Amino acid sequence: QVQLVESGGGLVQPGGSLRLSCAASGSIFSIDVMGWYRQAPGDQRELVAEITSSSRTDYLDSVKDRFFISRDNAKNTVSLQMSSLTPEDTAVYYCYAKVRPDARPRYVNYWGQGTQVTVSS
């Protein structure tokens, strides 16, 4: 089993910044992709940003140039630096990881418990 533990959510004013972090632990041979999804009330979960083991990144259009994703492959961690936050960024943010548990060529997706980000004055 693999556990993903998130930290860093909270309340921030519009225009402010927050940094989310996520650490993966457990039965991990390697991690292909790590990233963040978010879900606002009444909305579907959407991909915010993801990063591969070779540091290729992909971002939701609305967060490009405001959010920055990074990872530490040695520590199995991923972070999301969020700046110029707006109320539209308010959501529960979920960390995920596409994990290879052992030497066999198979992957399993794991999710964190979610962390609330609220942007409000």
Side-chain angles (χ1 to χ4, degrees):
Q1 274 290 0
V2 173
Q3 296 79 40
L4 301 181
V5 178
E6 300 141 336
S7 61
L11 174 65
V12 63
Q13 291 186 340
S17 299
L18 276 178
R19 183 179 180 87
L20 305 182
S21 296
C22 174
S25 62
S27 180
I28 298 172
F29 180 80
S30 65
I31 300 179
D32 182 21
V33 182
M34 299 188 80
W36 297 88
Y37 277 73
R38 69 185 182 187
Q39 186 169 21
D43 291 346
Q44 290 188 333
R45 191 173 294 191
E46 62 181 358
L47 175 64
V48 177
E50 63 180 9
I51 182 169
T52 69
S53 57
S54 58
S55 298
R56 181 177 60 84
T57 59
D58 192 22
Y59 292 91
L60 179 69
D61 283 348
S62 63
V63 308
K64 286 180 180 178
D65 301 323
R66 298 190 299 121
F67 291 10
F68 178 75
I69 190 169
S70 60
R71 68 184 276 181
D72 185 326
N73 291 331
K75 296 181 179 179
N76 291 329
T77 59
V78 63
S79 295
L80 185 68
Q81 179 66 46
M82 305 184 293
S83 59
S84 301
L85 286 160
T86 74
E88 288 68 38
D89 295 314
T90 296
V92 177
Y93 284 69
Y94 297 91
C95 172
Y96 84 96
K98 185 178 179 182
V99 177
R100 187 177 178 182
D102 49 48
R104 290 176 289 177
R106 68 184 182 96
Y107 290 87
V108 180
N109 290 330
Y110 289 95
W111 294 86
Q113 78 282 1
T115 185
Q116 177 70 46
V117 172
T118 302
V119 184
S120 175
S121 55

